[in-house]
């Protein structure tokens, strides 16, 4: 036989864990639908970063420093996004809040990288059309990763 105190304690523990289990199950259903496209987009951005880095080698040294800085910012932000996506994908009910904070940090880094790219792209516009095109593609794909269309990002930046 179990005591009344033991039964109450067991019922209390069950009442506390039930919402956690339900939250985890609901979260698990959403994960694939949102994480897979975002992970794919980070791969697209990574390819754009590689292309922009290679094409920018033809720039004069003074402009290349700015372009390299913008490309490195984009790389760091994309890496932060990839880490955050992994954290969310593997999060349980107890670590989900930390994963969500990582996503917010990655979003902030992507916003900053986008602004820097926009500035550098306008600086390079008349210097080298190939670099401008590569930076424009990178800008567009980072904006997609941020969940913003490039036209919206320009309008909100003004």
């Amino acid at each position: 036989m179990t005591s009344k105190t033991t039964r109450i304690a067991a019922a209390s523990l069950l009442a506390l864990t039930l919402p956690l289990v339900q939250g985890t199950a609901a979260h698990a259903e959403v994960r694939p639908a949102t994480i897979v496209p975002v992970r794919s987009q980070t791969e697209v951005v990574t390819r754009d970063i590689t292309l922009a880095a290679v094409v920018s080698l033809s720039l004069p040294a003074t402009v290349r420093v700015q372009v390299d800085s913008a490309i490195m910012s984009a790389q760091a932000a994309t890496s932060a996004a990839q880490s955050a996506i992994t954290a969310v994908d593997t999060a349980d009910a107890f670590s989900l809040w930390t994963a969500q904070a990582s996503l917010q940090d990655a979003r902030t880094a992507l916003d900053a990288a986008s602004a820097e790219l926009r500035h550098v792209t306008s600086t390079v516009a008349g210097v080298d059309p190939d670099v401008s095109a590569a930076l424009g593609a990178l800008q567009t794909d980072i904006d997609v990763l941020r969940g913003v269309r490039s036209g919206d990002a320009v309008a909100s930046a003004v």
Side-chain angles (χ1 to χ4, degrees):
M1 291 281 238
T2 58
S3 70
K4 185 176 180 179
T5 307
T6 305
R7 286 184 295 198
I8 291 173
S12 297
L13 184 59
L14 180 61
L16 287 173
T17 58
L18 189 57
L20 295 176
V21 172
Q22 290 172 344
T24 303
H27 179 69
E29 292 173 10
V30 173
R31 284 181 185 170
T34 56
I35 290 177
V36 170
V38 173
R39 185 171 280 140
S40 296
Q41 188 62 28
T42 62
E43 293 169 6
V44 170
V45 170
T46 300
R47 284 192 299 266
D48 288 347
I49 288 169
T50 303
L51 176 64
V54 169
V55 173
S56 69
L57 294 173
S58 65
L59 290 172
T62 55
V63 179
R64 190 173 346 127
V65 170
Q66 292 177 342
V67 172
D68 287 348
S69 175
I71 291 170
M72 285 186 271
S73 293
Q75 178 61 54
T78 304
S79 294
Q82 289 168 330
S83 295
I85 292 164
T86 300
V88 168
D89 194 26
T90 59
D92 58 18
F94 301 105
S95 63
L96 186 58
W97 67 273
T98 305
Q100 289 171 338
S102 295
L103 280 175
Q104 290 297 349
D105 291 345
R107 173 65 190 254
T108 302
L110 287 167
D111 290 346
S114 177
E116 187 175 3
L117 271 171
R118 192 169 290 104
H119 170 73
V120 168
T121 301
S122 67
T123 303
V124 176
V127 178
D128 188 325
D130 292 335
V131 174
S132 294
L135 292 176
L138 178 56
Q139 176 72 55
T140 299
D141 289 332
I142 281 191
D143 287 343
V144 168
L145 185 57
R146 292 171 53 223
V148 177
R149 292 190 317 251
S150 287
D152 293 345
V154 171
S156 66
V158 174

